[in-house]
Amino acid sequence: DAGVIQSPRHEVTEMGQEVTLRCKPISGHNSLFWYRQTMMRGLELLIYFNNNVPIDDSGMPEDRFSAKMPNASFSTLKIQPSEPRDSAVYFCASSSLLAGADTQYFGPGTRLTVL
Amino acid sequence: GNSVTQMEGPVTLSEEAFLTINCTYTATGYPSLFWYVQYPGEGLQLLLKATKADDKGSNKGFEATYRKETTSFHLEKGSVQVSDSAVYFCALRGTQGGSEKLVFGKGTKLTVNP
């Protein structure tokens, strides 16, 4: 079975540019999570969706960050404009409480470098 | 609010040594508790979990017991291998409001030398 798919795996961009990260959750999962991992701050939850609806975006750092989930099989995290302090590994995860499983399955991550 | 505290790393052990990584939590009610593992260059994977007091989660030789009285969920393995080298995260999921949010500890890096 395909796991959570993220693209791109690596992204290098210059300050001020727009960055879009993509995620395809596991088929049938109805919850999707975006995390950011840095050495300084560890793993932080940015936002999560349930049935394509944003439930909690309290972790989104500021207005430069936005996330969408237009359908059950696709989500994007956009940073505009990007800044060097946004450099991190961004993970997407999905889960399905309805299936009786509260385990989150993580994608391989996108390593973002903002110069 | 809910929080997880796990021992600071890094931890360096020789192969076949005994491993303990401490994890304590603060939460109301009866949260579910998890250990996730992150191998180099990969995303996190569930290692084991426990959903109620006195439950023991186990997988790949790792064990952790949900201790309500000490609010702890320490990870143990009797004999580590080089392939266990990774970062280990303790996490909890609260029971309030049906939230699916996981709260993670900061992670403990384990290096096992041959």
Side-chain angles (χ1 to χ4, degrees), chain B residues 13-19 77-82 84 112-114:
Chain B
L13 296 173
S14 298
E15 208 164 22
E16 299 185 4
F18 184 85
L19 169 71
K77 186 174 186 182
S79 176
V80 293
Q81 305 300 312
V82 172
D84 294 326
V112 180
N113 295 318

Side-chain angles (χ1 to χ4, degrees), chain A:
Chain A
D1 288 341
V4 175
I5 299 172
Q6 291 187 247
S7 64
R9 291 295 310 275
H10 301 274
E11 177 80 31
V12 180
T13 190
E14 293 188 347
M15 183 174 63
Q17 296 298 304
E18 178 181 295
V19 175
T20 300
L21 310 181
R22 297 173 176 80
C23 175
K24 177 179 170 57
I26 292 172
S27 177
H29 283 191
N30 62 336
S31 295
L32 183 139
F33 306 80
W34 282 102
Y35 292 89
R36 177 172 68 176
Q37 186 178 40
T38 62
M39 290 292 292
M40 291 295 293
R41 302 167 79 126
L43 197 62
E44 304 172 277
L45 177 66
L46 300 177
I47 185 171
Y48 87 92
F49 296 83
N50 186 262
N51 293 324
N52 312 337
V53 176
I55 301 300
D56 186 342
D57 65 355
S58 59
M60 294 287 263
E62 50 199 88
D63 292 346
R64 297 185 298 107
F65 286 69
S66 62
K68 294 182 179 180
M69 192 165 187
N71 57 62
S73 58
F74 184 66
S75 177
T76 60
L77 177 67
K78 185 175 294 186
I79 308 172
Q80 165 65 16
S82 57
E83 297 182 3
R85 60 191 168 123
D86 302 329
S87 297
V89 181
Y90 291 81
F91 289 103
C92 176
S94 70
S95 69
S96 174
L97 269 184
L98 291 178
D102 56 0
T103 301
Q104 291 186 18
Y105 294 83
F106 282 72
T110 295
R111 181 174 294 276
L112 173 66
T113 302
V114 183
L115 303 174

Side-chain angles (χ1 to χ4, degrees), chain B residues 8-114:
Chain B
E8 300 261 341
V11 174
T12 302
L13 296 173
S14 298
E15 208 164 22
E16 299 185 4
F18 184 85
L19 169 71
T20 299
I21 300 177
N22 290 338
C23 171
T24 57
Y25 68 89
T26 301
T28 54
Y30 291 85
S32 295
L33 301 174
F34 306 82
W35 278 100
Y36 279 80
V37 59
Q38 183 179 27
Y39 298 103
E42 298 184 10
L44 280 70
Q45 305 173 24
L46 178 69
L47 180 60
L48 53 84
K49 68 178 182 182
T51 57
K52 60 183 187 295
D54 299 325
D55 267 3
K56 178 185 284 187
S58 61
N59 186 26
K60 299 181 181 180
F62 291 89
E63 294 183 340
T65 302
Y66 188 144
R67 300 287 189 199
K68 180 70 174 175
E69 64 275 13
T70 55
T71 62
S72 65
F73 193 55
H74 304 322
L75 182 67
E76 296 182 336
K77 186 174 186 182
S79 176
V80 293
Q81 305 300 312
V82 172
S83 57
D84 294 326
S85 298
V87 180
Y88 292 82
F89 293 88
C90 185
L92 70 80
R93 183 173 71 82
T95 55
Q96 293 177 318
S99 172
E100 298 176 62
K101 288 171 62 171
L102 288 179
V103 176
F104 285 90
K106 292 192 179 299
T108 302
K109 183 176 182 179
L110 169 67
T111 301
V112 180
N113 295 318

